[in-house]
Amino acid sequence: MTVSANFKNYALKKTLNGLIFALPTVSDDFLLRKAERYVSTIRYPEAREFVRALILQTKKKLPRLSKNVRQGAVNFITNALFYKTPLRDAFEEENGFAPPIVLVISPTMRCNLACEGCYAGMYTKQEDLPLEVFDRVLTEAEEMGIYFIVVSGGEPLLYKPLFEMCEKHRDITFMMYTNSTLIDRKTAAEIARLGNVLPCISVEGFEEETDSRRGKGVYAKINQAMDNLREEGALFGFSATVTRLNKDLWVRDEFVEHYINKGCFIGWYFQYMPVGTEPSLELMTTPEQRDYRRRRINELRREKQILLSDFWNDGHLVGGCLSGGRSYMHINCKGEVEPCVFAHFAVDNIKDKTLKEVLNSGFFKAIRARQPFHDNLLRPCMIIDHPYILREVVKEGGAVPTHPEAEGIITTLASALDEYGSAYGAISDPVWREYEEIYDANKARLSSA
């Protein structure tokens, strides 16, 4: 960057810093009125509710956050909206495709728990991503204009150099999926000091549901970890895996309110996928249950003071499938580069190639050439909504499974997944037509205003 650009970036951060620190003194009504002109142009109602919730949640949480966490929010906003854009534009002009927005990296698959059905369960537990490789990938990501890294696993806190990397790459915001059992008061204080780490804690519900899957006493440790993070002024959230067995619990008022009261800023919902240890469709929510979750989470967004995101049902908010480097990809602990954390196939290893080279693989190009996979963006996924596409791109790209049971979703489970995709299509296609009618009417209203 030039001296002039550096000065502008510094001035922008100072201005935003002042605005963010003053935000808690502004009334909710004033903020929403100021934002409404922008919010009203957003295509889908769920996205409008999400942005409104983001504004109010940010205002609510700011006074309770440590100074470094608030500064981290300023860095995230400036990097996301301003500073990184020229880097991304330059990359796209040179390479003919835009860099992803986020990378998911699992530097270790080691874990101190052994949860049934975990997608990480079949990866090696002995190997970690070498520190020099992790560091290089983060540097290359920054040079492309990627400012958001999701750290998954395994349990990320077993990767000892993790906080060292967060310290070194302070312009990056790291969202970490963790079981939280290692977040004692000292670790929580370090997360708050760093300011650029957002833990999302895996939960199963309440004590009975959590301890039955994760082990006795884990629920108590989760609650203590959340208390530690809240008291140290860190920003954090929850992550819930929805199965056929717990589908109703996750969307009950008392579940969401419990984690709001614990101090969660955001809640992520992930549908159980038939990958990992002993993959089975028996734990997947049915198409009808998936549609109910979509409708119920939309209600909760309007009613509760928390950001809620549903990884599959919100596909239309991000233009469909994100995988294959379109908006994100996954690097596992062995360095294998997968289209997403649930599609366990790869052709490249980041230990041998640059980030730019793996993004430009024939495998990833085959995926991006087909995105979005359908006009109905409520059906975004090539694993469960359009499984024939996953079979096509694996064959076309010459991809190989990254663990022994990965191939099941394109072999033994193929027929059942085809049926699932068709059944969900029959439910969601009419909903999508209604969405488009609402969007067209809103667009016409805005044009005439």
Side-chain angles (χ1 to χ4, degrees):
M1 289 182 70
T2 65
V3 173
S4 175
N6 273 319
F7 177 77
K8 288 180 180 178
N9 187 50
Y10 170 78
L12 179 62
K13 285 187 177 182
K14 290 289 287 185
T15 301
L16 281 171
N17 191 65
L19 289 172
I20 282 182
F21 275 65
L23 192 61
T25 65
V26 181
S27 74
D28 290 358
D29 288 343
F30 178 82
L31 278 176
L32 291 178
R33 283 199 308 271
K34 287 295 183 182
E36 187 56 32
R37 185 172 181 180
Y38 163 73
V39 171
S40 64
T41 65
I42 298 174
R43 183 165 189 162
Y44 301 112
E46 297 94 329
R48 294 195 287 274
E49 294 296 338
F50 188 89
V51 172
R52 290 188 185 102
L54 175 62
I55 293 168
L56 295 180
Q57 278 297 98
T58 301
K59 175 182 179 292
K60 176 185 174 183
K61 293 292 184 186
L62 278 172
R64 307 177 188 178
L65 301 178
S66 74
K67 181 179 179 180
N68 285 0
V69 173
R70 283 182 280 176
Q71 187 59 56
V74 172
N75 289 341
F76 179 79
I77 293 169
T78 53
N79 287 337
L81 299 181
F82 304 102
Y83 173 48
K84 297 295 184 181
T85 301
L87 297 177
R88 298 178 63 80
D89 290 345
F91 180 91
E92 185 171 6
E93 184 176 348
E94 178 183 346
N95 297 282
F97 64 94
I101 296 170
V102 57
L103 301 181
V104 183
I105 304 176
S106 298
T108 184
M109 287 297 176
R110 292 180 290 121
C111 189
N112 56 331
L113 302 180
C115 305
E116 179 188 0
C118 176
Y119 77 79
M122 289 303 295
Y123 289 99
T124 175
K125 304 288 186 182
Q126 287 73 42
E127 298 177 0
D128 287 351
L129 192 68
L131 176 59
E132 63 273 15
V133 176
F134 193 17
D135 188 17
R136 172 176 62 81
V137 171
L138 295 177
T139 299
E140 291 177 4
E142 289 176 298
E143 292 169 350
M144 291 181 183
I146 302 171
Y147 54 87
F148 193 53
I149 301 294
V150 175
V151 185
S152 189
E155 171 49 52
L157 290 174
L158 289 175
Y159 189 75
K160 297 304 181 184
L162 177 60
F163 287 166
E164 175 188 338
M165 290 294 95
C166 297
E167 179 84 68
K168 181 175 181 180
H169 299 274
R170 296 196 66 82
D171 269 349
I172 292 176
T173 298
F174 294 86
M175 189 169 73
M176 173 180 67
Y177 287 107
T178 172
N179 64 42
S180 84
T181 58
L182 302 176
I183 301 181
D184 55 17
R185 195 59 179 259
K186 181 180 178 182
T187 302
E190 179 65 1
I191 288 170
R193 184 195 69 80
L194 286 165
N196 62 339
V197 181
L198 195 166
C200 288
I201 296 171
S202 299
V203 300
E204 301 295 334
F206 299 111
E207 184 172 16
E208 179 182 352
E209 297 85 12
T210 299
D211 287 3
S212 65
R213 183 173 184 235
R214 295 183 174 266
K216 187 172 178 57
V218 171
Y219 180 71
K221 290 181 179 179
I222 287 173
N223 279 281
Q224 185 60 57
M226 289 186 175
D227 291 343
N228 293 339
L229 290 164
R230 185 183 67 251
E231 291 164 13
E232 291 294 337
L235 203 61
F236 63 96
F238 72 80
S239 171
T241 299
V242 185
T243 72
R244 195 172 301 186
L245 303 178
N246 63 22
K247 62 183 186 333
D248 296 325
L249 170 65
W250 292 127
V251 291
R252 281 170 22 196
D253 287 346
E254 54 265 43
F255 169 80
V256 177
E257 288 168 1
H258 172 75
Y259 288 104
I260 290 173
N261 292 334
K262 296 302 292 184
C264 289
F265 174 74
I266 190 169
W268 288 94
Y269 288 83
F270 292 91
Q271 175 167 305
Y272 167 82
M273 297 288 277
V275 296
T277 308
E278 299 180 358
S280 168
L281 267 66
E282 295 304 310
L283 281 176
M284 279 181 64
T285 54
T286 66
E288 293 79 11
Q289 292 165 352
R290 178 178 169 187
D291 183 63
Y292 171 74
R293 184 176 78 249
R294 177 190 62 79
R295 290 182 281 111
R296 181 66 182 128
I297 288 177
N298 288 339
E299 293 174 354
L300 292 168
R301 282 190 176 114
R302 294 189 294 271
E303 298 168 359
K304 308 299 180 184
Q305 294 184 357
I306 188 172
L307 292 176
L308 297 175
S309 182
D310 187 331
F311 195 72
W312 281 266
N313 287 334
D314 287 342
H316 60 302
L317 306 186
V318 291
C321 177
L322 303 173
S323 73
R326 176 194 157 232
S327 291
Y328 101 116
M329 65 183 204
H330 179 227
I331 300 172
N332 68 26
C333 67
K334 295 184 285 185
E336 295 163 326
V337 184
E338 300 168 332
C340 81
V341 295
F342 300 103
H344 299 163
F345 299 89
V347 297
D348 288 324
N349 194 301
I350 199 66
K351 295 177 184 177
D352 307 320
K353 295 187 176 182
T354 67
L355 193 53
K356 182 169 73 173
E357 287 173 327
V358 300
L359 284 166
N360 207 30
S361 73
F363 183 33
F364 279 17
K365 283 182 175 179
I367 294 171
R368 294 198 296 265
R370 291 166 168 81
Q371 292 168 329
F373 304 131
H374 195 275
D375 291 340
N376 177 1
L377 298 182
L378 292 173
R379 303 167 61 190
C381 182
M382 66 175 176
I383 301 175
I384 60 173
D385 293 321
H386 313 286
Y388 69 93
I389 290 179
L390 178 60
R391 300 194 290 269
E392 287 179 0
V393 296
V394 166
K395 182 177 180 180
E396 183 177 327
V400 297
T402 54
H403 63 74
E405 293 190 27
E407 205 166 9
I409 58 174
I410 62 171
T411 54
T412 56
L413 297 179
S415 177
L417 285 170
D418 286 340
E419 292 177 8
Y420 180 96
S422 296
Y424 187 66
I427 293 173
S428 64
D429 285 350
V431 175
W432 183 251
R433 288 192 289 271
E434 292 179 9
Y435 270 48
E436 292 293 87
E437 290 172 4
I438 293 170
Y439 167 69
D440 290 340
N442 188 53
K443 185 177 180 180
R445 179 183 62 82
L446 291 171
S447 299
S448 61

PDB file of all heavy atoms in Angstrom, residues 23 80 98 132 152 166 185 191 194 196 221-222 289 294 312 346 348 357 374 405:
ATOM      1  N   LEU A  23     -21.618   4.389  19.898  1.00  0.00           N
ATOM      2  CA  LEU A  23     -22.858   3.738  19.481  1.00  0.00           C
ATOM      3  C   LEU A  23     -23.818   3.435  20.633  1.00  0.00           C
ATOM      4  O   LEU A  23     -25.031   3.608  20.488  1.00  0.00           O
ATOM      5  CB  LEU A  23     -22.520   2.450  18.707  1.00  0.00           C
ATOM      6  CG  LEU A  23     -23.652   1.768  17.953  1.00  0.00           C
ATOM      7  CD1 LEU A  23     -24.224   2.692  16.889  1.00  0.00           C
ATOM      8  CD2 LEU A  23     -23.136   0.471  17.310  1.00  0.00           C
ATOM      9  N   ALA A  80     -13.369  -5.458   5.991  1.00  0.00           N
ATOM     10  CA  ALA A  80     -14.433  -6.067   5.194  1.00  0.00           C
ATOM     11  C   ALA A  80     -14.954  -5.113   4.132  1.00  0.00           C
ATOM     12  O   ALA A  80     -15.209  -5.513   2.992  1.00  0.00           O
ATOM     13  CB  ALA A  80     -15.572  -6.503   6.113  1.00  0.00           C
ATOM     14  N   ALA A  98     -12.639 -14.178  -8.410  1.00  0.00           N
ATOM     15  CA  ALA A  98     -12.490 -13.482  -7.135  1.00  0.00           C
ATOM     16  C   ALA A  98     -11.992 -14.448  -6.064  1.00  0.00           C
ATOM     17  O   ALA A  98     -12.330 -15.637  -6.078  1.00  0.00           O
ATOM     18  CB  ALA A  98     -13.824 -12.877  -6.715  1.00  0.00           C
ATOM     19  N   GLU A 132       4.478 -23.587  10.024  1.00  0.00           N
ATOM     20  CA  GLU A 132       4.956 -22.755   8.918  1.00  0.00           C
ATOM     21  C   GLU A 132       3.966 -22.748   7.748  1.00  0.00           C
ATOM     22  O   GLU A 132       3.837 -21.754   7.023  1.00  0.00           O
ATOM     23  CB  GLU A 132       6.337 -23.205   8.446  1.00  0.00           C
ATOM     24  CG  GLU A 132       6.433 -24.613   7.875  1.00  0.00           C
ATOM     25  CD  GLU A 132       6.674 -25.687   8.925  1.00  0.00           C
ATOM     26  OE1 GLU A 132       6.477 -25.393  10.135  1.00  0.00           O
ATOM     27  OE2 GLU A 132       7.037 -26.819   8.548  1.00  0.00           O
ATOM     28  N   SER A 152     -11.514 -24.570  12.694  1.00  0.00           N
ATOM     29  CA  SER A 152     -12.339 -25.694  13.096  1.00  0.00           C
ATOM     30  C   SER A 152     -11.438 -26.839  13.524  1.00  0.00           C
ATOM     31  O   SER A 152     -10.258 -26.667  13.771  1.00  0.00           O
ATOM     32  CB  SER A 152     -13.274 -26.079  11.939  1.00  0.00           C
ATOM     33  OG  SER A 152     -14.235 -27.016  12.349  1.00  0.00           O
ATOM     34  N   CYS A 166      -2.959 -15.851  15.840  1.00  0.00           N
ATOM     35  CA  CYS A 166      -3.939 -14.765  15.974  1.00  0.00           C
ATOM     36  C   CYS A 166      -3.243 -13.456  16.323  1.00  0.00           C
ATOM     37  O   CYS A 166      -3.647 -12.381  15.862  1.00  0.00           O
ATOM     38  CB  CYS A 166      -4.968 -15.118  17.044  1.00  0.00           C
ATOM     39  SG  CYS A 166      -5.970 -16.582  16.669  1.00  0.00           S
ATOM     40  N   ARG A 185     -10.526 -19.419  32.918  1.00  0.00           N
ATOM     41  CA  ARG A 185     -10.514 -17.956  33.042  1.00  0.00           C
ATOM     42  C   ARG A 185      -9.288 -17.348  32.351  1.00  0.00           C
ATOM     43  O   ARG A 185      -9.377 -16.301  31.697  1.00  0.00           O
ATOM     44  CB  ARG A 185     -10.532 -17.566  34.517  1.00  0.00           C
ATOM     45  CG  ARG A 185     -10.879 -16.100  34.773  1.00  0.00           C
ATOM     46  CD  ARG A 185     -12.263 -15.773  34.203  1.00  0.00           C
ATOM     47  NE  ARG A 185     -12.656 -14.412  34.442  1.00  0.00           N
ATOM     48  CZ  ARG A 185     -13.502 -14.036  35.399  1.00  0.00           C
ATOM     49  NH1 ARG A 185     -14.039 -14.931  36.195  1.00  0.00           N
ATOM     50  NH2 ARG A 185     -13.826 -12.776  35.546  1.00  0.00           N
ATOM     51  N   ILE A 191      -8.276 -14.511  25.083  1.00  0.00           N
ATOM     52  CA  ILE A 191      -9.161 -14.268  23.938  1.00  0.00           C
ATOM     53  C   ILE A 191      -9.617 -12.814  23.932  1.00  0.00           C
ATOM     54  O   ILE A 191      -9.633 -12.152  22.885  1.00  0.00           O
ATOM     55  CB  ILE A 191     -10.361 -15.237  23.992  1.00  0.00           C
ATOM     56  CG1 ILE A 191      -9.890 -16.666  23.647  1.00  0.00           C
ATOM     57  CG2 ILE A 191     -11.460 -14.804  23.025  1.00  0.00           C
ATOM     58  CD1 ILE A 191     -10.928 -17.739  23.910  1.00  0.00           C
ATOM     59  N   LEU A 194      -6.622 -10.553  22.917  1.00  0.00           N
ATOM     60  CA  LEU A 194      -6.325 -10.575  21.487  1.00  0.00           C
ATOM     61  C   LEU A 194      -7.323  -9.718  20.715  1.00  0.00           C
ATOM     62  O   LEU A 194      -6.941  -8.962  19.818  1.00  0.00           O
ATOM     63  CB  LEU A 194      -6.358 -12.016  20.975  1.00  0.00           C
ATOM     64  CG  LEU A 194      -5.165 -12.895  21.358  1.00  0.00           C
ATOM     65  CD1 LEU A 194      -5.483 -14.361  21.122  1.00  0.00           C
ATOM     66  CD2 LEU A 194      -3.921 -12.482  20.583  1.00  0.00           C
ATOM     67  N   ASN A 196      -9.375 -10.364  18.383  1.00  0.00           N
ATOM     68  CA  ASN A 196      -9.751 -10.783  17.028  1.00  0.00           C
ATOM     69  C   ASN A 196     -10.151 -12.260  16.970  1.00  0.00           C
ATOM     70  O   ASN A 196     -10.082 -12.892  15.921  1.00  0.00           O
ATOM     71  CB  ASN A 196      -8.613 -10.514  16.035  1.00  0.00           C
ATOM     72  CG  ASN A 196      -7.337 -11.289  16.345  1.00  0.00           C
ATOM     73  OD1 ASN A 196      -7.132 -11.734  17.481  1.00  0.00           O
ATOM     74  ND2 ASN A 196      -6.468 -11.437  15.362  1.00  0.00           N
ATOM     75  N   LYS A 221     -19.145 -27.457  32.075  1.00  0.00           N
ATOM     76  CA  LYS A 221     -17.940 -26.778  31.575  1.00  0.00           C
ATOM     77  C   LYS A 221     -18.302 -25.736  30.517  1.00  0.00           C
ATOM     78  O   LYS A 221     -17.668 -24.675  30.445  1.00  0.00           O
ATOM     79  CB  LYS A 221     -16.963 -27.808  31.009  1.00  0.00           C
ATOM     80  CG  LYS A 221     -16.324 -28.695  32.066  1.00  0.00           C
ATOM     81  CD  LYS A 221     -15.335 -29.679  31.446  1.00  0.00           C
ATOM     82  CE  LYS A 221     -14.686 -30.537  32.521  1.00  0.00           C
ATOM     83  NZ  LYS A 221     -13.729 -31.521  31.936  1.00  0.00           N
ATOM     84  N   ILE A 222     -19.299 -26.039  29.677  1.00  0.00           N
ATOM     85  CA  ILE A 222     -19.743 -25.080  28.664  1.00  0.00           C
ATOM     86  C   ILE A 222     -20.292 -23.823  29.334  1.00  0.00           C
ATOM     87  O   ILE A 222     -19.956 -22.693  28.957  1.00  0.00           O
ATOM     88  CB  ILE A 222     -20.808 -25.719  27.748  1.00  0.00           C
ATOM     89  CG1 ILE A 222     -20.163 -26.734  26.804  1.00  0.00           C
ATOM     90  CG2 ILE A 222     -21.559 -24.644  26.953  1.00  0.00           C
ATOM     91  CD1 ILE A 222     -21.164 -27.537  25.990  1.00  0.00           C
ATOM     92  N   GLN A 289     -38.973 -31.548   8.415  1.00  0.00           N
ATOM     93  CA  GLN A 289     -38.356 -30.963   9.608  1.00  0.00           C
ATOM     94  C   GLN A 289     -37.399 -29.828   9.245  1.00  0.00           C
ATOM     95  O   GLN A 289     -37.326 -28.824   9.966  1.00  0.00           O
ATOM     96  CB  GLN A 289     -37.615 -32.058  10.380  1.00  0.00           C
ATOM     97  CG  GLN A 289     -38.536 -33.088  11.010  1.00  0.00           C
ATOM     98  CD  GLN A 289     -37.807 -34.341  11.443  1.00  0.00           C
ATOM     99  OE1 GLN A 289     -36.613 -34.528  11.156  1.00  0.00           O
ATOM    100  NE2 GLN A 289     -38.513 -35.217  12.129  1.00  0.00           N
ATOM    101  N   ARG A 294     -36.484 -23.853   9.120  1.00  0.00           N
ATOM    102  CA  ARG A 294     -36.330 -22.603   8.367  1.00  0.00           C
ATOM    103  C   ARG A 294     -37.361 -21.577   8.817  1.00  0.00           C
ATOM    104  O   ARG A 294     -37.020 -20.418   9.112  1.00  0.00           O
ATOM    105  CB  ARG A 294     -36.485 -22.872   6.867  1.00  0.00           C
ATOM    106  CG  ARG A 294     -36.414 -21.628   5.995  1.00  0.00           C
ATOM    107  CD  ARG A 294     -36.820 -21.939   4.557  1.00  0.00           C
ATOM    108  NE  ARG A 294     -38.199 -22.398   4.448  1.00  0.00           N
ATOM    109  CZ  ARG A 294     -39.254 -21.592   4.467  1.00  0.00           C
ATOM    110  NH1 ARG A 294     -39.089 -20.279   4.604  1.00  0.00           N
ATOM    111  NH2 ARG A 294     -40.474 -22.087   4.368  1.00  0.00           N
ATOM    112  N   TRP A 312     -27.687 -24.158   5.996  1.00  0.00           N
ATOM    113  CA  TRP A 312     -28.293 -24.583   4.725  1.00  0.00           C
ATOM    114  C   TRP A 312     -29.499 -23.725   4.358  1.00  0.00           C
ATOM    115  O   TRP A 312     -29.630 -23.283   3.218  1.00  0.00           O
ATOM    116  CB  TRP A 312     -28.701 -26.060   4.788  1.00  0.00           C
ATOM    117  CG  TRP A 312     -27.530 -26.950   4.584  1.00  0.00           C
ATOM    118  CD1 TRP A 312     -27.107 -27.508   3.406  1.00  0.00           C
ATOM    119  CD2 TRP A 312     -26.568 -27.340   5.567  1.00  0.00           C
ATOM    120  NE1 TRP A 312     -25.950 -28.224   3.607  1.00  0.00           N
ATOM    121  CE2 TRP A 312     -25.597 -28.141   4.926  1.00  0.00           C
ATOM    122  CE3 TRP A 312     -26.430 -27.105   6.922  1.00  0.00           C
ATOM    123  CZ2 TRP A 312     -24.517 -28.699   5.604  1.00  0.00           C
ATOM    124  CZ3 TRP A 312     -25.356 -27.657   7.600  1.00  0.00           C
ATOM    125  CH2 TRP A 312     -24.420 -28.437   6.933  1.00  0.00           C
ATOM    126  N   ALA A 346     -10.560 -34.271  -2.269  1.00  0.00           N
ATOM    127  CA  ALA A 346      -9.520 -33.276  -2.570  1.00  0.00           C
ATOM    128  C   ALA A 346      -8.671 -33.733  -3.750  1.00  0.00           C
ATOM    129  O   ALA A 346      -8.570 -34.930  -4.048  1.00  0.00           O
ATOM    130  CB  ALA A 346      -8.631 -33.057  -1.351  1.00  0.00           C
ATOM    131  N   ASP A 348      -5.720 -31.446  -4.221  1.00  0.00           N
ATOM    132  CA  ASP A 348      -4.494 -30.703  -3.909  1.00  0.00           C
ATOM    133  C   ASP A 348      -4.192 -30.730  -2.421  1.00  0.00           C
ATOM    134  O   ASP A 348      -5.082 -30.934  -1.588  1.00  0.00           O
ATOM    135  CB  ASP A 348      -4.630 -29.231  -4.343  1.00  0.00           C
ATOM    136  CG  ASP A 348      -4.598 -29.060  -5.849  1.00  0.00           C
ATOM    137  OD1 ASP A 348      -3.848 -29.812  -6.509  1.00  0.00           O
ATOM    138  OD2 ASP A 348      -5.320 -28.192  -6.366  1.00  0.00           O
ATOM    139  N   GLU A 357      -2.943 -21.372  -6.317  1.00  0.00           N
ATOM    140  CA  GLU A 357      -2.917 -22.566  -7.167  1.00  0.00           C
ATOM    141  C   GLU A 357      -4.045 -23.528  -6.818  1.00  0.00           C
ATOM    142  O   GLU A 357      -4.704 -24.071  -7.714  1.00  0.00           O
ATOM    143  CB  GLU A 357      -1.565 -23.273  -7.031  1.00  0.00           C
ATOM    144  CG  GLU A 357      -0.420 -22.543  -7.723  1.00  0.00           C
ATOM    145  CD  GLU A 357       0.926 -23.165  -7.430  1.00  0.00           C
ATOM    146  OE1 GLU A 357       1.119 -23.696  -6.300  1.00  0.00           O
ATOM    147  OE2 GLU A 357       1.815 -23.124  -8.310  1.00  0.00           O
ATOM    148  N   HIS A 374     -29.068 -24.459  -8.760  1.00  0.00           N
ATOM    149  CA  HIS A 374     -30.496 -24.485  -9.082  1.00  0.00           C
ATOM    150  C   HIS A 374     -31.042 -23.075  -8.936  1.00  0.00           C
ATOM    151  O   HIS A 374     -30.508 -22.264  -8.180  1.00  0.00           O
ATOM    152  CB  HIS A 374     -31.222 -25.441  -8.119  1.00  0.00           C
ATOM    153  CG  HIS A 374     -32.602 -25.827  -8.553  1.00  0.00           C
ATOM    154  ND1 HIS A 374     -33.707 -25.057  -8.269  1.00  0.00           N
ATOM    155  CD2 HIS A 374     -33.064 -26.907  -9.249  1.00  0.00           C
ATOM    156  CE1 HIS A 374     -34.787 -25.638  -8.762  1.00  0.00           C
ATOM    157  NE2 HIS A 374     -34.428 -26.768  -9.364  1.00  0.00           N
ATOM    158  N   GLU A 405     -14.204 -43.392   4.986  1.00  0.00           N
ATOM    159  CA  GLU A 405     -15.649 -43.492   4.822  1.00  0.00           C
ATOM    160  C   GLU A 405     -16.233 -42.337   4.002  1.00  0.00           C
ATOM    161  O   GLU A 405     -17.453 -42.247   3.844  1.00  0.00           O
ATOM    162  CB  GLU A 405     -16.324 -43.539   6.198  1.00  0.00           C
ATOM    163  CG  GLU A 405     -16.011 -44.815   6.968  1.00  0.00           C
ATOM    164  CD  GLU A 405     -16.862 -44.972   8.222  1.00  0.00           C
ATOM    165  OE1 GLU A 405     -17.989 -44.432   8.251  1.00  0.00           O
ATOM    166  OE2 GLU A 405     -16.401 -45.630   9.156  1.00  0.00           O
TER     167      GLU A 405
END
